[in-house]
Structure formats: C-alpha cells, structure tokens
C-alpha cells in the first residue's frame, strides 16, 4: 500500500473571497451490485483504510446471528451500532442500555474513553464536573454491538472471560466481523494491509471499488447471502428511523438521513473516508480524501455525489447544496469565503 | 490567484501501521535577506494568504510608532500582540491589561468572540458557567495592539470614535499595518488578491518567496528601515522572553521557542501556513500546505525545516524530531501509526 504515483484530482476548493485558498484531492468510486464501475474519479483500485465508514458491514453479524433479536435491540440501538456518534448523553445512555440488555456494563467495553466529539457534550460534561467514559467514545455503539454478539456466542461460558480481548483479530467475535467485511466487499483480507483503528479493532485496507460494491449490495441485497441481506435491510431501516443515533447534533449523516430517509444510507469514516448506499439506483459510493480531511472535504464530496446521482426535489437539492457549496463565516458572522465541490464533481 | 497547474510535492505522510493512510502536499520557500532563494519546494511564486503567520509584521507599527513605549507594554503584552493564542485565562487577562493601559476595554475589540482554541480553556469556562468574550479570541492580542496604536494615533480626537472600524482596509490603523506588510515583503499589495481574515481584518495574498524574505529581514534587520528593524528586534526579544503568550499550552510555537529561544522565531497561520526567522543563518522560511492543515501538516514541515537548516544539539534534534516524526496513539494509548515529514524534506 504505497502513495499514488499519479495525484488524485482536486475535488474541493476552499475559497477566500474569490481566490482558491486551499484545496482537497481525493478519489471516488460509484459501483453497482455486480461490481461494475459507474463512475471513477482518481485511483479507485488502491487499497485504503475504510475506518468507521464500514460500521454497518461490521454490524451485520450482530443481526444475522440473532443477537439483536435475542436482546431486543431497538432501532435506536441498532442505529448506534452503526454510528460514529457525538458522545451526547443520548448516545451514551443508549450504549449503556445495549450492554444492560446483554447483562454486562461499561466495563466490558474495550474502545477506550475520550471527550465527546460534539462541542456541546464536552461543555455539558465539564459543567457537571464529570469525565468522559467509554460510553462517550464515538464507537461505543459499535462496541456495544460487538459485546452483544459476544454474549450470544459465549453461550454457556463465562461471558466476561469470553469477551476479554474481543477487539483482537483472532477473537471469535472479531473473526465474525472480519468475515462479514470480506463477504460483502469480495476482497481477500488475509493479504490486505492491516492497521489498528482508533477504537483498537483491526482496520483492513480495501480498494474503493470494493467498498462501493459492498454498499451497492447493502442497499439492494443483491450479491449478499440471505442472512446478510436481511441484516442489511434491518440496519438500514433502523438508521432511517433513528438517524440522530448514527451521528448527532449538527452532523452530516444525521442531517442528511433525517431529510432523505431510506433514499440514502451514508456513513463517515476517519481520515476523509465516506461510503453510501443509494438503494433506488442500485449503487454504492465510496470515497477517500488524500489528506484525510472529513468535515470540510469528504462531506462536501459526498454531498456533491448525492446531488449528482440522486433525483432530488428542488427543496432537497437546495438542502444538499448547503453542504456542497457552503458559506464560510468568520467570528463576526461575515461571509469570508466558500467551501465548494470542484469542477471535477459537477 | 488560481490553483497550481502542477501539484506541489507530498511533504507529510500519515502512516497507519506501515501503510501511508493520508498525505499532505505543500510548498516551502527558504530565502535570505537579499531575497535570494536558498531552497524552494513546490510553487513558491504563487500568492497565498499568509493569515496569522504575519502577525509580527502587523505589529511593527505598534512599536515603531512609540505606542508600545507610551503605554508601557511588557514582553508578555508584546508577545501577545504577535500571538494566535489558546484563549486561556492568562491570555485573556493580558489582552485586557493592554486595553486598560490605553484607557479602553474589551468593547473596543472588533475581532469577535469565539470559544478558546485550547481544550482546557473551553472546559474551564464551561465549568465556571461562563461564555467566551472577544478577549478569548485567538487574535485578541493582535487586536489589542491595533487598539493601542489607534489610541496613540487618535491624539486629541475622541478615542472610541477614532477606533471604530479599525479592522477596515481604509482606516488609518489598518493602513499603517498594511504599509508594514508591504515594506517588509517588498510586494505591491494594491494589486494583490485580498480576503477577509477570521478576525475581520484584510488578508493579502503574497508569494511564499516574499514572505520568506520578510522573515529573513525580521530576523536580521537587513533591508528594513531603521524603525522597523528596531521594532522587529524588540518583538523577537519579547516573544523569546514570553513564548507562552504567543500560543499557549501544548502548542508548537510556544514549545519550540521555549526550547530554542531567539534562535527561532516561528508563527503559525490559519490554513496550513507557517513562517519563521532563523536569525543566525540570516534566513526566513515560509510554507503553505495545499489542504490548509495546520496541526498535523504545517507543523511537521516547519519542524523538519528547522532540523534541516539549524545546527542543533543532539537533545534539541530529538526534541524537534518529536514533531517531525511523531507517534499517533489511539484512545487506548496504543501507537497505531506515525506522522512523518516525507522524503522530500529529508
């Protein structure tokens, strides 16, 4: 896994006044459920770490195994299993509820603690004189899902002993999760580059074309085994019903899915990755910004791709344009520039 | 001011495990006080917005005019006039003291209010149930310096009436500030692209080569008019004596100048800009990352340039290497990758 020989195209411009102050390069693959490339910008064959963009793929075993049903997980809880959330009280409480349903608590989580991503949640904790716990970790729902899966797999064994080390590649829970990633991407992970993610689970490098394929499959069920197809549908419905859980206040994924419902399933990943399923078109989208920028690069590109691909009402198009051509305002509220999807995307 | 036709080189790699996960492109100019290029990486002729990297140039009139002397500004206060600070109580209190010395208060500031850059300062304000004021704005010291200059220039006029609109290009204060930028960079600003900065003052697009020249001049006094040369020396001494004021807890500029003293004067600017003077070498350094990333791109490049140019003791070299080849750790404290200056810089 080496850097590109040929630079990827510029996809986003940050303008100050009318001048291009900064720019973001990246690659985008749009793929159908048979694996055919609908659109390719930049190098879509180079493996990249998808990070949290594939949480829905990693949550398939939670549903397929029957664990979600056994523990009576709600839409909110299943959406949180697919989430990179803002660490708000609502998110933390929902993760705690998932663990309680499986008969364990926060001490089972191996994701680590960090201050919430959402500013308001940081201030609320600080104002209450509290410190964050693993429940505030943006991945706590995914991990709570892993723990629920592990509790089911433990069967008659001691649950806590069985769960220990569930983040490691060789643990039975992580083997199930990795198998789901391989099955949906059709990419042989045994020879992939592997890194350790922020929450300590393995992250495997997969080409954008394969990630796009996996999301086309998640959106349509085509090419998935029946258990994965049912689980994918269940998770998409859960997220569409509880989009606040998948991200949170002011966040792109929550705002877009609150607006567009099941027409889009989209999910951010660290280091400038985004994946999406567009079920009515039978397409998956996967993108990675070279510089790893999420908030002002990957989101802008994903918004522009949704506008470009999906037939939208005028009002929905204006809504999406608010992300793909956004005013940059300074501390006095003066518009000083714009963040814009570049010509390559229009 | 258009994007580069030829991509700038990759200067920083973000590794996950041993794989390059993300990368940052940019350009660097190293220039002597006669304007000769010592080193050029990428396009150093394209004008870029220097943003806060030129605060020391913008503070020259504060000293040259006699305002700093008239109001008895201390090293801490002069360093704050050159700062993008973390908005800590120490910084806010120092800005308030500058204003008080000139007989005005926070209501004179036109920079706007924002939550502090430093996490600890955010939590401290939230825990105290307080909101930030313009004193917490990272530019409050620069603006307090503008206000002090304006109070001197107002002479017999009503100070507050004279100060109103000091952030506008046509105000007598901003005309002095702009003239200092033009004189030190030897770049004709009347035909430059101009934007509005985060704190509402104009920012003029200047090529990296001219910015490097200005910092070579600031470090040596060569090529500056006597008043600017004396002011530059005074400001460099102030920052070397009070480096905490120029940035704050954990920040690159404070840490590097606490360690290296007057051997380096360095200053970050928004959108991936860095400028530095290396007085003993007679050189100025100016760089801009294409993607606008500061914390993990511009800082890494500046650290690598200091290592490359300045003769360092083994201990100082190890210290700088901590910025140019830094471990990336996850929420469990596990090293998951490295942030490294790329081969083009070594």
């Amino acid at each position: 896994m080496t850097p590109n020989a040929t630079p990827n195209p510029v996809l986003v411009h940050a303008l100050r006044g009318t001048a291009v102050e900064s720019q973001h390069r990246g690659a985008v693959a749009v793929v159908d459920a048979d694996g055919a490339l609908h659109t390719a910008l930049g190098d879509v064959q180079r493996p990249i770490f998808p990070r949290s963009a594939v949480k829905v793929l990693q949550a398939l075993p939670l549903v397929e195994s029957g664990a979600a049903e056994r523990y009576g997980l709600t839409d909110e809880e299943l959406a949180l299993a697919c989430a990179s959330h803002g660490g708000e009280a609502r998110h933390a409480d929902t993760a705690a509820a998932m663990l309680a349903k499986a008969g364990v608590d926060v001490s089972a989580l191996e994701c680590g603690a960090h201050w919430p991503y959402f500013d308001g949640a940081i201030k609320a904790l600080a104002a209450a004189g509290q410190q964050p716990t693993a429940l505030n970790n943006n991945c706590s729902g995914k991990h709570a899902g892993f723990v629920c899966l592990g509790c089911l797999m433990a069967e008659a064994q001691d649950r806590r002993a069985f769960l220990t080390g569930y983040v490691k590649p060789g643990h039975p829970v992580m083997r199930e999760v990795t198998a789901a990633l391989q099955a949906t991407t059709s990419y042989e992970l045994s020879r992939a580059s592997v890194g350790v993610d922020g929450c300590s689970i393995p992250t495997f490098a997969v080409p954008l074309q394969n990630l796009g394929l996996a999301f086309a499959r998640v959106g349509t069920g085509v090419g998935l085994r029946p258990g994965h197809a049912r689980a994918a549908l269940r998770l998409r419905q859960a997220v569409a019903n509880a989009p606040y859980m998948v991200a949170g206040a002011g966040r792109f994924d929550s705002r877009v899915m609150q607006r567009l419902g099941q027409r889009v399933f989209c999910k951010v990943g660290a280091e400038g990755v985004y994946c999406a399923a567009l079920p009515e078109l039978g397409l998956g989208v996967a993108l990675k910004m070279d510089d790893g920028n999420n908030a002002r690069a990957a989101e802008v590109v994903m918004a522009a791709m949704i506008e470009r691909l999906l037939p939208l009402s005028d009002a929905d198009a204006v809504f999406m344009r608010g992300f793909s051509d956004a005013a940059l305002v300074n501390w006095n509220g003066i518009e000083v520039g714009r963040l814009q999807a570049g010509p390559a995307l229009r």
Side-chain angles (χ1 to χ4, degrees), chain A:
Chain A
M1 188 174 157
T2 52
N4 297 317
T6 308
N8 282 322
V10 173
L11 301 180
V12 178
H13 287 158
L15 305 178
R16 184 156 298 263
T18 56
V20 175
E21 182 168 28
S22 300
Q23 61 184 26
H24 300 276
R25 295 175 182 274
V28 188
V30 183
V31 187
D32 70 22
D34 296 323
L37 268 172
H38 172 282
T39 305
L41 297 166
D43 184 352
V44 300
Q45 306 303 338
R46 177 177 170 260
I48 62 104
F49 291 121
R51 311 292 301 274
S52 290
V54 292
K55 278 177 175 167
V56 68
L57 309 180
Q58 295 168 319
L60 293 172
L62 171 67
V63 179
E64 189 190 37
S65 67
E69 195 174 8
R70 166 82 70 89
Y71 300 121
L73 299 188
T74 64
D75 282 351
E76 281 73 15
E77 291 160 351
L78 287 175
L80 200 76
C82 302
S84 297
H85 61 72
E88 303 169 47
R90 259 175 91 175
H91 301 127
D93 292 348
T94 302
M98 294 171 72
L99 296 169
K101 286 178 173 179
V104 294
D105 66 16
V106 60
S107 65
L109 293 179
E110 297 186 356
C111 52
H114 65 75
W115 282 87
Y117 281 180
F118 178 56
D119 275 359
I122 295 174
K123 293 170 193 163
L125 277 181
Q130 294 176 348
Q131 293 290 318
T133 73
L135 295 171
N136 299 104
N137 185 309
N138 78 94
C139 297
S140 69
K142 175 181 74 176
H143 278 253
F146 294 157
V147 167
C148 288
L149 173 63
C151 286
L152 186 83
M153 292 172 75
E155 297 181 348
Q157 297 171 66
D158 173 68
R159 284 176 176 195
R160 290 304 303 273
F162 180 81
L163 284 171
T164 300
Y166 72 81
V167 295
K168 300 286 182 193
H171 190 281
V173 165
M174 206 47 56
R175 284 208 302 264
E176 285 297 311
V177 169
T178 302
L181 185 65
Q182 175 160 321
T184 52
T185 59
S186 290
Y187 192 69
E188 179 53 49
L189 298 181
S190 64
R191 46 167 211 255
S193 288
V194 59
V196 177
D197 213 324
C199 65
S200 298
I201 71 166
T203 181
F204 296 90
V206 177
L208 289 173
Q209 184 168 358
N210 294 73
L211 293 167
L213 167 63
F215 277 77
R217 288 170 163 176
V218 161
T220 59
V222 175
L224 296 181
R225 69 184 186 223
H228 278 170
R230 282 191 297 272
L233 180 61
R234 178 78 191 88
L235 290 167
R236 286 200 295 111
Q237 288 173 336
V239 170
N241 290 336
Y244 196 88
M245 282 296 151
V246 89
R251 301 274 298 281
F252 182 91
D253 288 333
S254 294
R255 292 184 63 199
V256 168
M257 291 191 278
Q258 281 166 342
R259 177 99 194 180
L260 298 176
Q262 284 198 51
R263 299 191 68 196
V264 174
F265 175 90
C266 57
K267 182 66 188 69
V268 70
E271 293 290 331
V273 180
Y274 243 106
C275 290
L278 302 175
E280 74 198 58
L281 304 177
L283 296 174
V285 183
L287 66 92
K288 157 84 180 167
M289 305 310 297
D290 292 357
D291 56 46
N293 192 308
N294 286 84
R296 71 172 218 175
E299 281 182 12
V300 173
V301 177
M302 181 50 79
M305 293 307 296
I306 291 171
E307 282 178 84
R308 174 174 162 161
L309 294 167
L310 208 61
L312 295 174
S313 70
D314 288 352
D316 286 343
V318 168
F319 176 81
M320 292 309 304
R321 188 56 72 117
F323 295 103
S324 67
D325 183 4
L328 295 170
V329 298
N330 76 0
W331 304 120
N332 282 317
I334 301 167
E335 179 173 325
V336 292
R338 300 194 75 81
L339 198 57
Q340 288 182 333
L345 290 169
R346 297 297 186 186

